[in-house]
Amino acid sequence: MIRVQAMPFDAGGELNRFAAEVDGAGAVVSFTGVVRDVAGGLEAMEIEHYPAMTEKALGAIRAQAVQRWDLADALVIHRFGRLEPGEGIMMVATAARHRRDAFEAAEFLMDYLKSRAPFWKKEITRDGAAWVASKADDEAALGRW
Amino acid sequence: MSEQSLNVLYFAWVRERIGLPVEDVTTSAATVADLVEELRGREERYAAAFADTSALRVALDQELAEFDAPLAGVREVAFFPPMTGG
């Protein structure tokens, strides 16, 4: 399942529901990304996206993961709009018979969400606002898949 | 090549620099690069936004594409910086 939303999500509740709905999966892995105030002074994170492309891109990334690993299911939730430090930005969960598939697919989803899903983050600090630059490491991370 | 009407979208700092999120562009540009050249020639704000296309990404009808991709049959073109999801 893919969900793109402005509303906050309850990562624990989502994970429990996801795990309850997959039959015969012995391994469930999840990752939650949280807004963090690294340098100090972060007031909010504003996430812009390209609505017509977002679900399409996320769906394609999820479909690749499902095709490549032996997954029972995969969940992707990604938020947009204004988020405060400590709020969840996104989560992925994967369910598989074996843990290696669940872990690897979750990492693959994360790597692709970072640089192939049409979201852009802007940090709002006391001193002003700045777009978050993409990292060469994030692009390089795709190379291992 | 004949003229076509494109829905052109801008996101993140590209949107801010150009000053609008979307516009209709009627063009005879054959490729994305031709369209960029045409937009650059319009006004300073476009020239600034498209100064370095290696800092930009483009999607054609919501699929990532290259700057040498042809525009024939395309309805929507989006320009944006590298994505920072996750």
Side-chain angles (χ1 to χ4, degrees):
Chain A
M1 185 197 268
I2 302 288
R3 268 168 44 203
V4 181
Q5 61 186 52
M7 291 287 287
F9 59 88
D10 167 17
E14 296 292 347
L15 181 59
N16 288 338
R17 193 159 38 245
F18 175 76
E21 283 170 5
V22 282
D23 254 355
V28 174
V29 163
S30 80
F31 174 90
T32 306
V34 177
V35 178
R36 63 204 167 125
D37 183 6
V38 181
L42 182 74
E43 288 177 355
M45 179 86 88
E46 279 178 10
I47 302 177
E48 181 171 333
H49 77 128
Y50 178 2
M53 181 174 171
T54 311
E55 293 211 18
K56 220 164 149 176
L58 294 180
I61 293 167
R62 182 187 174 281
Q64 268 195 66
V66 169
Q67 189 180 30
R68 192 148 164 191
W69 286 277
D70 186 14
L71 298 183
D73 201 0
L75 168 73
V76 176
I77 301 175
H78 205 302
R79 290 178 64 194
F80 60 89
R82 187 183 169 93
L83 282 70
E84 314 238 315
E87 286 190 61
I89 301 177
M90 51 77 60
M91 77 176 281
V92 302
T94 53
R97 286 176 61 186
H98 303 293
R99 74 170 186 272
R100 186 172 296 277
D101 287 312
F103 271 117
E104 282 189 4
E107 281 213 78
F108 168 90
L109 287 170
M110 282 310 307
D111 283 347
Y112 271 80
L113 286 176
K114 280 257 171 217
S115 39
R116 290 293 183 274
F119 292 96
W120 298 275
K121 294 191 185 112
K122 191 181 201 179
E123 290 181 341
I124 315 297
T125 70
R126 286 190 295 263
D127 303 324
W131 291 101
V132 174
S134 64
K135 297 185 186 73
D137 285 357
D138 290 338
E139 189 63 33
L142 302 184
R144 70 173 162 142
W145 306 111
Chain B
M1 183 170 160
S2 59
E3 284 203 334
Q4 64 178 336
S5 176
L6 296 170
N7 198 32
V8 180
L9 285 77
Y10 309 109
F11 292 96
W13 60 254
V14 183
R15 172 180 54 74
E16 291 181 339
R17 212 160 286 181
I18 290 173
L20 76 176
V22 59
E23 63 183 324
D24 283 324
V25 175
T26 300
T27 180
S28 54
T31 66
V32 175
D34 294 342
L35 174 65
V36 167
E37 208 46 51
E38 188 180 309
L39 291 171
R40 263 190 202 132
R42 275 184 167 184
E43 282 177 52
E44 177 50 35
R45 58 197 169 110
Y46 288 93
F50 290 106
D52 176 13
T53 50
S54 73
L56 294 179
R57 301 290 179 268
V58 61
L60 301 181
D61 292 331
Q62 301 97 39
E63 302 270 0
L64 282 174
E66 302 295 331
F67 280 81
D68 59 4
L71 291 175
V74 169
R75 303 297 306 272
E76 187 166 290
V77 181
F79 293 104
F80 42 78
M83 295 160 271
T84 52

